[in-house]
């Protein structure tokens, strides 16, 4: 039977435990979709930089940075896994190369429009699969999927992949991001089913905010 949907054979071993395969690409986020204003848009790298200064890329600067293609699946912590996303964008490790961190940087906070944030261990951020995507399946990202720029961290649950990315903060200690403060796991490895903060081991992160 002809079908453009992934069959069981194609997705065998690709669906993490506790996830269900969905067809198409659901939209999932908290809050409204921000409007893109090119003249105001920038990507800021700040916090514990080696130089002590903030670096900024304007929207047009992005095209001058190195690019890669990564094909990966997307696992939302609420259950859906969508497969076969072809992302095109800037390897996240490029940020560290071009804006060196101070000694002692262990984590980054990825910041999005409206104050959404996700904290990441440096190794997750610089993983060869992690990128700041501008395109999906050969087309610019749509507004609801994060145009003009989103982080994609394929091995972690979707809440570690902020859409509408605007900043990378270098941190010398871990700090919880938006969902990580609201009951979600600080590390979020989809293959280890690290969904909820109550599953965390002591060294998985700082204590969740007190009520
Ligand atoms: N800025 C922002 N990015 C976000 C979110 C959000 O609420 N705000 N939700 C995350 C979650 S929980 C998931 S599963 C993915 C979903 O990406 P998609 O809508 O492209 O499928 O976006 C992530 N990025
Ligand atoms: Mo999600």
């Amino acid at each position: 039977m002809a079908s453009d949907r992934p069959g069981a054979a194609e997705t065998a071993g690709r669906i993490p435990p506790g996830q269900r395969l969905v067809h198409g690409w659901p939209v999932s986020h908290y809050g409204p979709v921000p409007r893109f204003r090119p003249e105001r848009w920038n990507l800021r790298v700040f916090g514990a930089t080696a130089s002590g200064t903030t670096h900024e890329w304007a929207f047009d600067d992005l095209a001058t940075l190195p690019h890669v293609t990564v094909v990966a699946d997307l696992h939302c912590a609420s259950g859906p896994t969508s497969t076969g996303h072809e992302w095109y964008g800037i390897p996240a490790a490029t940020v560290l190369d071009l804006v060196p961190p101070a000694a002692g940087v262990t984590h980054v906070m990825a910041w999005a429009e409206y104050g959404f944030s996700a904290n990441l261990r440096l190794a997750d951020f610089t993983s060869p699969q992690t990128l700041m995507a501008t395109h999906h399946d050969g087309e610019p990202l749509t507004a609801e999927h994060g145009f003009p720029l989103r982080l994609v961290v394929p091995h972690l649950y979707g809440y570690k992949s902020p859409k509408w990315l605007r900043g990378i903060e270098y941190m010398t200690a871990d700090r919880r991001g938006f969902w990580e403060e609201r009951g979600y796991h600080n590390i979020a490895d989809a293959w280890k089913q690290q969904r909820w903060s109550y599953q965390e081991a002591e060294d998985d992160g700082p204590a969740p905010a007190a009520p």
Side-chain angles (χ1 to χ4, degrees):
M1 190 178 70
S3 170
D4 59 358
R5 291 175 172 178
E10 284 169 62
T11 57
R14 279 173 58 184
I15 312 302
Q19 293 294 110
R20 59 181 186 277
L21 176 64
V22 293
H23 299 297
W25 188 12
V27 171
S28 169
H29 57 263
Y30 178 85
V33 173
R35 194 154 71 90
F36 173 55
R37 296 178 183 84
E39 67 291 346
R40 283 199 219 166
W41 192 93
N42 60 5
L43 178 67
R44 294 176 65 227
V45 185
F46 63 103
T49 60
S51 67
T53 61
T54 293
H55 188 84
E56 279 187 26
W57 284 297
F59 181 66
D60 290 340
D61 296 334
L62 297 182
T64 67
L65 302 178
H67 282 71
V68 283
T69 298
V70 171
V71 177
D73 302 337
L74 179 58
H75 315 295
C76 174
S78 69
T81 284
S82 55
T83 53
H85 299 282
E86 187 190 287
W87 305 104
Y88 175 75
I90 301 142
T94 301
V95 176
L96 278 292
D97 293 342
L98 297 182
V99 187
V105 168
T106 55
H107 292 77
V108 305
M109 190 73 80
W111 288 98
E113 301 282 1
Y114 300 140
F116 183 85
S117 61
N119 56 317
L120 293 157
R121 297 178 294 192
L122 208 51
D124 290 320
F125 185 70
T126 58
S127 153
Q129 295 273 99
T130 301
L131 79 163
M132 302 185 297
T134 56
H135 289 70
H136 177 273
D137 288 352
E139 301 285 341
L141 290 171
T142 59
E144 64 269 26
H145 286 298
F147 182 82
L149 191 70
R150 79 175 290 170
L151 190 65
V152 178
V153 189
H155 61 291
L156 304 182
Y157 284 125
Y159 61 91
K160 295 289 191 178
S161 292
K163 305 191 277 194
W164 315 298
L165 186 71
R166 289 294 303 277
I168 300 298
E169 178 186 358
Y170 291 165
M171 306 197 294
T172 53
D174 198 7
R175 212 169 73 225
R176 303 179 83 91
F178 183 87
W179 288 118
E180 296 82 357
E181 273 188 334
R182 289 169 175 78
Y184 284 83
H185 199 286
N186 192 57
I187 307 291
D189 187 321
W191 294 94
K192 296 181 181 160
Q193 266 203 89
Q194 294 176 327
R195 247 179 255 272
W196 308 109
S197 54
Y198 64 71
Q199 301 171 304
E200 288 172 19
E202 212 158 303
D203 60 358
D204 283 340

